[in-house]
Amino acid sequence: MKKLVLTGAAGRLGSYLREPLSKMCDTLVSTDIADDIGTLYPGETYVKGDLASLDDMMKVCEGADMIVHFGAFVDEGPFEQLLGPNFIGAYNVWEAAHRHGARRVVYASSIHAVGMYPKNEFIGTDVPHRPDTFYGLAKCFAEDLGRMYWEKRGLESVHMRILSCAQVNNARALGSWLSYDDLIQLVTRCIETPVTGFSVIYGVSNNDRAPVDNASASFLGYRPQDNAEDFAAEVLAQTDPLDPQDSGHMCHGGPFAAVDLGQSGLANMTIVDDRKTT
Amino acid sequence: MKKLVLTGAAGRLGSYLREPLSKMCDTLVSTDIADDIGTLYPGETYVKGDLASLDDMMKVCEGADMIVHFGAFVDEGPFEQLLGPNFIGAYNVWEAAHRHGARRVVYASSIHAVGMYPKNEFIGTDVPHRPDTFYGLAKCFAEDLGRMYWEKRGLESVHMRILSCAQVNNARALGSWLSYDDLIQLVTRCIETPVTGFSVIYGVSNNDRAPVDNASASFLGYRPQDNAEDFAAEVLAQTDPLDPQDSGHMCHGGPFAAVDLGQSGLANMTIVDDRKTT
Amino acid sequence: MKKLVLTGAAGRLGSYLREPLSKMCDTLVSTDIADDIGTLYPGETYVKGDLASLDDMMKVCEGADMIVHFGAFVDEGPFEQLLGPNFIGAYNVWEAAHRHGARRVVYASSIHAVGMYPKNEFIGTDVPHRPDTFYGLAKCFAEDLGRMYWEKRGLESVHMRILSCAQVNNARALGSWLSYDDLIQLVTRCIETPVTGFSVIYGVSNNDRAPVDNASASFLGYRPQDNAEDFAAEVLAQTDPLDPQDSGHMCHGGPFAAVDLGQSGLANMTIVDDRKTT
Amino acid sequence: MKKLVLTGAAGRLGSYLREPLSKMCDTLVSTDIADDIGTLYPGETYVKGDLASLDDMMKVCEGADMIVHFGAFVDEGPFEQLLGPNFIGAYNVWEAAHRHGARRVVYASSIHAVGMYPKNEFIGTDVPHRPDTFYGLAKCFAEDLGRMYWEKRGLESVHMRILSCAQVNNARALGSWLSYDDLIQLVTRCIETPVTGFSVIYGVSNNDRAPVDNASASFLGYRPQDNAEDFAAEVLAQTDPLDPQDSGHMCHGGPFAAVDLGQSGLANMTIVDDRKTT
Amino acid sequence: MKKLVLTGAAGRLGSYLREPLSKMCDTLVSTDIADDIGTLYPGETYVKGDLASLDDMMKVCEGADMIVHFGAFVDEGPFEQLLGPNFIGAYNVWEAAHRHGARRVVYASSIHAVGMYPKNEFIGTDVPHRPDTFYGLAKCFAEDLGRMYWEKRGLESVHMRILSCAQVNNARALGSWLSYDDLIQLVTRCIETPVTGFSVIYGVSNNDRAPVDNASASFLGYRPQDNAEDFAAEVLAQTDPLDPQDSGHMCHGGPFAAVDLGQSGLANMTIVDDRKTT
Amino acid sequence: MKKLVLTGAAGRLGSYLREPLSKMCDTLVSTDIADDIGTLYPGETYVKGDLASLDDMMKVCEGADMIVHFGAFVDEGPFEQLLGPNFIGAYNVWEAAHRHGARRVVYASSIHAVGMYPKNEFIGTDVPHRPDTFYGLAKCFAEDLGRMYWEKRGLESVHMRILSCAQVNNARALGSWLSYDDLIQLVTRCIETPVTGFSVIYGVSNNDRAPVDNASASFLGYRPQDNAEDFAAEVLAQTDPLDPQDSGHMCHGGPFAAVDLGQSGLANMTIVDDRKTT
């Protein structure tokens, strides 16, 4: 692997991926809209760029083997706010990857693409979309886009539907947690698997209560090691009875399934950053 | 039914729908980006508007019971060209409908949302999306959007995946034809059915060779009357042997399945307008 | 066919079946809890009997080839009220049929065994039960019982899930109507088909808007002739907009899906008897 | 959790659950038809009651958060014998739970609700019922009842289809065994999971030869620890060749699948109590 | 269409197809193992050939556009007897077609490839094989062979699973009948459809009691016109009660499902030739 | 177990099975077309025989309880070459087993029976056949044959679709590897399971990247212990980028999916024998 591109490199998950990705290739091109992202890892370069600009994406993707696409507005918000980074941004990344002859896009999709399914329905990777927010709708858009680029242009993509990658501090997270270590394994497998075509896989740890079905993505070899059950006793002790009629508790999307469309601020409420300091 | 809105009223199909729709309601508000659409039918008013403008859509949707949404750039084209009318336009229509408390959107979706399925696979209305073009991708977007507005906001929508509504002048059309009369029946059923929730239905006539499965939309009561088999002898006699390895022949999307992404002009090549003069 | 038994012979549907059934066999034994059922047809005898009494059922089923089981409390009601006629009664009929070596039970099951499915889900005959009332729960019980008697004892049964067999006077009936003539065809096919094993079939006419899937019962040869669409214009003109959030409109069970459990009187509200006078 | 109710507390499995359940709540109300159940655990009270009496069930369920319903006639027997405890008893428990506003019923269902499926068919939790006995039919009834109370009244329930919870002393048990420890984990998960809606889960240990599919109940987090393979060498050495045409060997229900309906005494033949003395 | 080949031209069905096929092409090459087949139709030539000889098949397939393959030993029989004409013969036909660059094989497959499915299971064209005889096993072989030649070599094939093409003189035929006229329509559609890839379709008339599902082959446009129900009253009047435990009555394969493997003579017993004299 | 028969005893896998099989029965009859197979294990006898000769198979199967059938031409090759050992040989084995009243055939089937499925489709044991070679077609034939002998004659069979049982020296093998130890466990389970009917199971180790679904064969208790991931780092380091449009990389069958039909020598290219010396 000569060159990898990482979008969203200044974001919470993106910044965590910089180091491991830098070790997988000769050159890691990290990009984000921030002015800088601090000290670079060996082999890493940083290019400031706007996802909403095809020119910018053309620049960062030049010569890339694969693009690891984590850049986005990472919260629910008005459609107008997500249009640039999340919708147009996805198009720009795939289009730039295609024009430069890249092999694959590894994409941070989300459970919110299918967040309206009830939690007691064990959903596979090929159920029809049921987005819970504009945020989730952008994930649906990128998944369909990725499938089309594969079927029409031979550009591979793997869509990692991350459930929740943050501290386990509520009952839903006992099932939905994706640990940072498992995130890294997942991204690694999506990169190193020799052929993937168009694939979808859930990003979730080996939780006892994991509510989604990764069987059909088995060939990718993702075998998570962490288990949120370690936190179960403590979390459940602090959990009041939950209303089963509330889609925020009964649906895969959790709070996003219950929120009014377009209402930002949700991500901040539900996610606590507990990365180990690097 | 007091007030209906018709978008794309100046288009080929839209202009054909104006008269029947005007008879189903007290007021038909027709809209398009054209300056005018000629003589109005009784009860019809015309409002020039740009789909890409939420303000325009807010104006035309005021007080509407339902919106019949046919407006779009009706061809494959570069993503940038479709972004305004087809993607943002769909959002604007649903959002305006929601803000005004409309009950339902009846939407001209397309086979191109699932055009990459091979033709010898009999596809139902709930198969995962497989768009064949940016044009089809916009239809996927609107379908997912419509489902979300139903599940989160209670706004109903029926998504009519039209196969091909034009003269039967090629072998594919023997299966894919939707006659104008059947189009009108279809739109009528989608409007008059008392409750629909979120539904998808294929827009195709009662052709012997119809390649798609409308069973799951049976409750809508669409029972097409026309049959492209009337043209079969003539069309087949003029058809040279077709290459089964060509996705343009082997996939549901027909020529769109084979075309390069973003290449406009396709619609003109394959569609011949044979409306009866009104 | 030497001997048929008809339970519920004094009921609305049962009384309508007496004449055609009497013509299909040497002896028709009609039974109900009423003292008499008026003038008998040639070959018909009447035996008063209580479904809740195994002794009574043993008497009426003696020597029978098949039992056409329409007897029941035909309304939602408290569980205690349905226990005797609908639950225990079903057991008694199957048990008596088995002890006497009868070949088959033809049973008036109901859409209410699966009434909680949303109407825009096209349900087949093998979906898991989702009863909407105690009335529907009794139908589930009899279907499971019938399957068990077939698999353990070789007693055949056909379970006709009748949607609504009454005047078409509301929007739901445009899809759910079963005409009396089609009811007779249906019962006839269930009797005359040489082998049936355990089968389930929906009892619905050839309505444009029929919302259920009889494909898997195709071998029974039931091909309904009537179509509620004849009443559509009139019925829809009288139908106010319906609330899609109301399970009474959005679910297959109609009003039963919305009613409080155990609340009787519903059948009278929704069914108008429009039999032709015999 | 303030108050739990345990029915069938004097039974083999019920008596084993008393201690762990007493530790999960402030008050455990144990009930059975026996006069007493011996020494009570801290927090436990005993109330004699007949499942077939709604009054009795109303008394024991007063103020309960959840009811763990294990009470039943635990064997195949004539329908008349099971009618009171198993059918009416289930109704009484759900109805009492509903009237008192309880949140959930955790129910000891059984593989015998689907016992007629052949063993080489890997059955999930949503296959249609195929009861093998009246005993199994009562489980089908309670499952359908539980689904209805959830969909109509919002009362949650989890239906644990126990395969065989007893000593591993025959070939079938190598697949069907549920250890006591795993039973306790299963019941614990069904209680502590914050929201369950209506769910079905198989009660089986982590046996190499487990023949049923719990994937769709994954969100409950039941992860059994014991494995009947520990007994495989010994059991297989003592097993004569079995007739594959015998439904007692070829069906999931085992001996119940082969027994004549209504023939009691079967449970005693096949189950050896090997609880550790408490 | 320049050249068609018809194998089995001296057989019952083959001889019936000669005339209509001769009208669809410039040259019809009829072949069979008989010395001659009587008067030839305009454009028809006859070549004696043995299916079991690749050389013979190479000769008859030279220059062919399509091969209509009806040749076979048309009865159950010992494997050794069917090996040459039915197994090796199928290979020879496909191999010769491939070597000569033919476009498609239209094959007389049979319900007996899936004859062991119970009749109350409505089987589609993609269910796994369940052959009922060596005769059926040869059909399975040819279907798998045909799929492989399509996927590996681009040779199209349509596999017509004929149910029963003979006089309607028994209860099973009320569902399974394929009239001669519908046979001709079916073969015609399989030839004239521009692209087919690998497809399977059931050969059955538009019988009320047709027990199989052709939905997935809908794009071929086969719409049968005849209905065995015309014979129902007469046939059912002569039908004694049938044993539902007999796989000859309960399975799709009919008598073949019940016969001992390898026992020839069955076809003669069940089929009465009622072709109109030509 | 008194007597086992092992065909293909001189082959690579067969010779590895001789010792463990000899310990599972009183007498192991090993057979192959070779003159001898070296030193025999205690209880083992060797009988030279030709699979293509029913007489030979009748001799070796006399008195056998089960036949472990590994004999075949183990490579792709011209149909004519595989006809005797692979097609006729399978028939001879099943027929001889039946005539002698054996209980079960345990068969070395292959992934190549379904090798044309794309690798990112997680295939279960009941998907329709999609053979990739004549070699795979022979496996399809034997599977259908085995199903028929079970359904018509009560002869059980388990069909082990082996993926690749050889050294892990390429990227595909990271998913497809079956270790020798796991092969032995698999064969053992197929023999010792008391009843199997007709079953299919994939022969693959517990690889992280295993691409097939054995869930439906769960009752057989096969729980592989080895994991090709141990070789992943080394193998991937040596793997150049692979073309995702190449069916040899994208399909389950691997190189067989890409090879020309009938081209032998493939097995030698892709398989390295790494058996421990015995």
Side-chain angles (χ1 to χ4, degrees), chain D residues 118 120-121, chain E residues 113-118 121 126-133 137 140 261, chain F residues 94 105 107 125-129 139-159 161 197-200:
Chain D
N120 59 357
E121 197 165 321
Chain E
V114 292
M116 294 309 293
Y117 282 94
E121 198 165 320
D126 59 354
V127 294
H129 289 141
R130 291 179 70 177
D132 54 20
T133 46
L137 183 64
C140 298
L261 292 182
Chain F
W94 258 270
V105 177
Y107 176 59
T125 59
D126 59 353
V127 294
H129 289 141
K139 301 304 187 187
C140 299
F141 169 81
E143 289 188 359
D144 288 342
L145 177 84
R147 186 164 192 155
M148 185 174 71
Y149 271 73
W150 161 246
E151 298 198 321
K152 295 296 293 273
R153 290 176 159 173
L155 175 58
E156 296 187 321
S157 54
V158 187
H159 299 253
R161 288 186 188 156
F198 167 82
S199 297
V200 175

Side-chain angles (χ1 to χ4, degrees), chain A:
Chain A
M1 186 76 58
K2 292 188 179 158
K3 186 171 176 181
L4 280 179
V5 170
L6 172 66
T7 71
R12 191 167 56 87
L13 299 185
S15 61
Y16 203 73
L17 289 170
R18 290 169 48 204
E19 185 173 19
L21 290 181
S22 71
K23 294 177 176 166
M24 296 182 70
C25 56
D26 299 340
T27 305
L28 172 68
V29 178
S30 292
T31 183
D32 206 305
I33 204 162
D35 283 333
D36 76 283
I37 56 171
T39 311
L40 298 179
Y41 293 96
E44 187 185 27
T45 63
Y46 180 72
V47 180
K48 179 179 174 178
D50 184 351
L51 290 165
S53 157
L54 180 56
D55 284 348
D56 285 6
M57 290 305 104
M58 283 299 290
K59 277 177 205 148
V60 299
C61 292
E62 188 175 353
D65 295 294
M66 297 189 186
I67 292 90
V68 179
H69 179 33
F70 272 68
F73 179 78
V74 190
D75 195 358
E76 171 62 348
F79 175 71
E80 291 79 359
Q81 187 169 7
L82 276 67
L83 179 61
N86 296 28
F87 289 89
I88 295 173
Y91 164 73
N92 287 341
V93 165
W94 258 269
E95 182 66 15
H98 163 67
R99 292 190 189 176
H100 285 305
R103 177 188 182 85
R104 188 181 299 164
V105 178
V106 174
Y107 176 59
S109 187
S110 163
I111 187 69
H112 300 299
V114 292
M116 294 309 292
Y117 282 95
K119 191 184 271 186
N120 59 357
E121 198 165 320
F122 189 59
I123 52 174
T125 59
D126 59 353
V127 294
H129 289 141
R130 291 179 69 177
D132 53 22
T133 45
F134 288 118
Y135 179 77
L137 182 65
K139 301 303 187 186
C140 299
F141 168 80
E143 290 189 358
D144 287 342
L145 177 84
R147 186 164 192 155
M148 186 173 71
Y149 270 73
W150 162 246
E151 298 198 321
K152 293 297 292 275
R153 291 179 158 172
L155 174 58
E156 296 188 320
S157 55
V158 188
H159 299 253
M160 307 174 295
R161 289 186 188 155
I162 295 170
L163 275 71
S164 65
C165 192
Q167 203 178 32
V168 180
N169 60 3
N170 60 74
R172 175 174 174 264
L174 295 178
S176 65
W177 186 51
L178 174 66
S179 75
Y180 288 106
D181 285 353
D182 285 334
L183 168 67
I184 290 173
Q185 189 208 138
L186 175 57
V187 173
T188 303
R189 288 287 181 276
C190 292
I191 291 171
E192 79 181 16
T193 297
V195 293
T196 64
F198 166 82
S199 296
V200 176
I201 185 168
Y202 288 104
V204 66
S205 280
N206 186 30
N207 308 319
D208 280 5
R209 304 170 196 250
V212 290
D213 183 4
N214 261 336
S216 65
S218 180
F219 81 104
L220 290 172
Y222 170 58
R223 295 290 173 261
Q225 299 301 317
D226 293 314
N227 188 338
E229 203 64 19
D230 299 343
F231 311 101
E234 186 184 0
V235 166
L236 290 175
Q238 298 166 352
T239 304
D240 287 327
L242 304 178
D243 178 4
Q245 306 300 332
D246 179 343
S247 56
H249 300 311
M250 203 59 190
C251 288
H252 280 284
F256 279 59
V259 77
D260 284 345
L261 291 182
Q263 175 186 308
S264 59
L266 191 67
N268 295 338
M269 287 191 294
T270 59
I271 292 183
V272 174
D273 187 346
D274 66 342
R275 282 175 298 155
K276 308 159 195 160
T277 50
T278 56

Side-chain angles (χ1 to χ4, degrees), chain F residues 84-223:
Chain F
N86 296 28
F87 289 89
I88 296 173
Y91 164 74
N92 287 341
V93 165
W94 258 270
E95 182 67 15
H98 163 67
R99 291 190 191 176
H100 285 305
R103 176 188 183 85
R104 187 181 301 164
V105 177
V106 174
Y107 176 59
S109 188
S110 164
I111 187 70
H112 300 298
V114 292
M116 293 309 292
Y117 282 95
K119 192 185 270 185
N120 59 357
E121 198 166 320
F122 188 59
I123 52 175
T125 59
D126 59 353
V127 294
H129 289 141
R130 292 180 69 177
D132 53 22
T133 46
F134 289 119
Y135 179 77
L137 183 64
K139 301 304 187 187
C140 299
F141 169 81
E143 289 188 359
D144 288 342
L145 177 84
R147 186 164 192 155
M148 185 174 71
Y149 271 73
W150 161 246
E151 298 198 321
K152 295 296 293 273
R153 290 176 159 173
L155 175 58
E156 296 187 321
S157 54
V158 187
H159 299 253
M160 306 173 297
R161 288 186 188 156
I162 295 171
L163 275 71
S164 66
C165 191
Q167 205 178 30
V168 180
N169 59 4
N170 60 75
R172 175 175 175 262
L174 296 177
S176 65
W177 187 49
L178 174 66
S179 76
Y180 289 106
D181 285 352
D182 285 335
L183 168 66
I184 291 173
Q185 188 207 137
L186 175 57
V187 173
T188 303
R189 288 287 181 279
C190 293
I191 291 172
E192 78 181 17
T193 297
V195 294
T196 65
F198 167 82
S199 297
V200 175
I201 184 168
Y202 288 103
V204 65
S205 280
N206 185 31
N207 308 320
D208 280 6
R209 303 168 198 251
V212 290
D213 183 6
N214 261 336
S216 65
S218 180
F219 81 103
L220 290 171
Y222 170 58
R223 295 291 172 261

Side-chain angles (χ1 to χ4, degrees), chain E residues 87-118:
Chain E
F87 289 90
I88 295 173
Y91 163 74
N92 287 341
V93 165
W94 259 269
E95 182 66 15
H98 163 68
R99 293 191 189 176
H100 286 305
R103 176 187 183 87
R104 189 181 299 164
V105 178
V106 174
Y107 176 58
S109 187
S110 164
I111 187 69
H112 300 299
V114 292
M116 294 309 293
Y117 282 94

Side-chain angles (χ1 to χ4, degrees), chain C residues 76 110-117 129-140 163 172 247-248 251-263 266, chain D residues 144 147-149 151-153:
Chain C
E76 172 61 348
S110 164
I111 188 67
H112 300 298
V114 292
M116 293 309 292
Y117 282 95
H129 289 141
R130 291 180 70 177
D132 54 21
T133 46
F134 288 118
Y135 179 77
L137 182 64
K139 301 303 188 187
C140 299
L163 274 71
R172 175 175 175 263
S247 56
C251 288
H252 281 285
F256 279 60
V259 78
D260 285 343
L261 292 183
Q263 176 187 308
L266 191 68
Chain D
D144 288 341
R147 186 163 192 156
M148 185 174 71
Y149 271 73
E151 298 199 320
K152 295 296 293 271
R153 291 177 159 173

